[in-house]
Structure formats: structure tokens, C-alpha cells
Amino acid sequence: MVSCRFQKNISGEMDMGEIEGISLGKAGLILRAPGGGGVKSGQCFSISQGSSTLAASTKTPEDTQGVFEAMQHILSCGKDKLSQDKKSVVSDGSVKNPVVGFRVTRWTPELEELERKRKELEKGPPAVDPKDLMDSKEVKELKKGMNIMAYTLDEMNLPKATKLSLVYKAKGAGRLGTLYWCDRRKKRKPPSSCGRLEVEDLSSIVIGKQTRILQTAAATMAEAEACLSLIGPSSQISIEMEEGEVSS
């Protein structure tokens, strides 16, 4: 049978570089021993290091929180972190005496690299200068509008071929610009009602007559080498470039 005694004035030391975890509340047998019955859970904390554990209490919950924040600061100076242990449980089955455990995650070059990548992802993709987007002869031609035969579904959900223009706008339309397909007479300023696909959302480009609509009767006369499909999550367009518009 394990015997626990609540004692005061016990001296000792712990290497901060070897601490494995910190718990707030009455964690473990020592703090739940009879001698600690008069101490509130919010005043208690435990620091573990291998087979050794420092279990203690302070005068107030604020002092206990102060100890925790001091430990957190010291560890962060060495790039170590305290992460809440999801396995933390209530010390005595009562919500009155909760125990919140934290484990120490030590710094490693691998974790440093993961943290750097995480921060980069949080920033989101880098901004793009519209001038860089237009630094291409082909993109400039697309900005003017290229004549296409677009294959879409009509109101009866039947495939149809329509003469349209494919237009690219770099400014004020998505981070990488937007592709529009619209009436050829309106290509200089595509209306909001025309089809569109933000280039950043483009998931695939399929060359040739590989999409289902390009294999229907509506596209029988379409030349495979002049066909392609632009596919995004919520919109797509299958087209045939008109003679003279096909880029090498």
C-alpha cells in the first residue's frame, strides 16, 4: 500500500531542460493526501521530471497561475513549448477540482522547420503584382480577347456550340486574375453575367477532346488539337480555339 504524507520545507532542484510536464490542480496522490485536503485545487500545481515530481501549492490561485506563466516563459526562451495534454482528467471525478496537464515539447530543427511552414501557411499565398502577370506575350493576347467556340449546356441541358471570346483580366479579379468567356462584342468589358473562372481556382487543364461535352454531337466538327477544357471547383469551360488563335 502506498503511503503519502503532506510535508513542508522540502528542498530540491530540477533542471528546466529536463522537465517533462506541468499540471495545474490536484494531480497525483500527494496533493490528494489528507494533509493537502485544506488546499484548494486552484492553488496547486505539479512539475514532473522523469520519476521525480514536485507537487506544491501557493497562497492563491493567482500565484499558481504566476508560477505556470513563469515556467512557460522560461521554456519559450529555449524555444520549448507547453502543449495542453488532451488526456488531462478531473482529479477526483468532480468538476470542482479540475486538473489541466501540459506536456513539454522540446525544440528540434525539424519542429523549427514545421513551425516556419505553419506560419507561412497562416499568412496565405504571397501577393502578386499585376504587372508580373502581364509580362507575357500570350497573356497580353488573351487580355485582348481570343475567339473561341465554347461548348456548354443549354436551358434543356443539351450540349450546344456558341461563338464567344475568352478574356483574361489581371486587375481587380482574383489574386492571379480571372478568365471570362462572353459575347464577342462585350469582350472589352465582360459583364457580370458571363462565365468566369478565377485562375487561382483552376484545378486542371485538359488538352484535346477528353471531356464528355467535347465528345457529343455538338463538337463533332471540332479539331482535337484545337480543343481544351479549363476546370475549376464550381465552373468549367470546354473550348475550341478558332483558326489563327491556336498558340504554338
Side-chain angles (χ1 to χ4, degrees):
M1 180 177 179
V2 178
S3 176
C4 296
R5 291 183 300 168
F6 193 79
Q7 300 179 13
K8 297 182 178 180
N9 302 321
I10 300 176
S11 61
E13 64 179 47
M14 281 187 173
D15 186 337
M16 288 295 294
E18 297 180 1
I19 287 175
E20 297 173 355
I22 300 174
S23 295
L24 299 179
K26 288 188 174 183
L29 294 173
I30 296 177
L31 289 173
R32 294 200 298 260
V39 181
K40 294 182 179 179
S41 181
Q43 298 171 236
C44 300
F45 68 91
S46 300
I47 302 175
S48 60
Q49 175 187 308
S51 59
S52 302
T53 299
L54 167 64
S57 64
T58 62
K59 291 184 178 180
T60 66
E62 290 74 20
D63 288 342
T64 298
Q65 185 64 29
V67 172
F68 174 78
E69 291 178 1
M71 297 296 100
Q72 189 175 42
H73 173 74
I74 294 169
L75 290 167
S76 68
C77 289
K79 295 188 177 181
D80 297 331
K81 292 185 175 182
L82 283 174
S83 304
Q84 186 169 343
D85 188 350
K86 295 181 180 180
K87 295 181 180 180
S88 298
V89 295
V90 175
S91 62
D92 59 1
S94 169
V95 294
K96 294 181 180 179
N97 298 312
V99 173
V100 182
F102 297 85
R103 57 183 176 82
V104 178
T105 302
R106 296 296 177 186
W107 178 90
T108 65
E110 292 77 15
L111 285 178
E112 178 85 357
E113 180 63 15
L114 287 173
E115 181 67 10
R116 185 190 67 78
K117 290 181 178 179
R118 184 188 66 79
K119 289 181 179 179
E120 287 296 321
L121 289 173
E122 286 181 349
K123 292 179 183 178
V128 178
D129 189 337
K131 292 181 181 179
D132 293 336
L133 294 172
M134 298 306 303
D135 190 20
S136 163
K137 180 182 72 175
E138 290 76 15
V139 174
K140 289 176 181 177
E141 290 297 320
L142 192 56
K143 180 185 177 183
K144 295 177 183 177
M146 302 181 75
N147 292 335
I148 62 170
M149 185 68 76
Y151 296 92
T152 57
L153 298 176
D154 63 15
E155 294 79 6
M156 300 295 292
N157 211 33
L158 296 173
K160 66 175 183 177
T162 310
K163 290 184 177 181
L164 297 177
S165 282
L166 184 66
V167 187
Y168 173 73
K169 298 292 184 181
K171 292 184 178 180
R175 191 178 70 94
L176 297 178
T178 301
L179 286 169
Y180 299 88
W181 45 96
C182 61
D183 187 298
R184 294 180 179 181
R185 295 167 297 179
K186 300 177 181 179
K187 64 182 181 181
R188 293 190 63 183
K189 191 175 181 181
S192 59
S193 59
C194 68
R196 59 185 291 168
L197 174 62
E198 290 194 9
V199 178
E200 190 171 16
D201 293 334
L202 184 65
S203 57
S204 62
I205 301 176
V206 182
I207 305 296
K209 301 174 70 172
Q210 298 188 53
T211 53
R212 182 174 298 179
I213 199 166
L214 287 175
Q215 296 171 3
T216 63
T220 300
M221 302 303 293
E223 298 291 337
E225 60 270 20
C227 293
L228 62 86
S229 298
L230 305 170
I231 302 173
S234 58
S235 62
Q236 67 178 59
I237 181 73
S238 291
I239 65 176
E240 177 191 13
M241 306 302 295
E242 288 196 356
E243 186 176 356
E245 298 283 16
V246 180
S247 174
S248 58

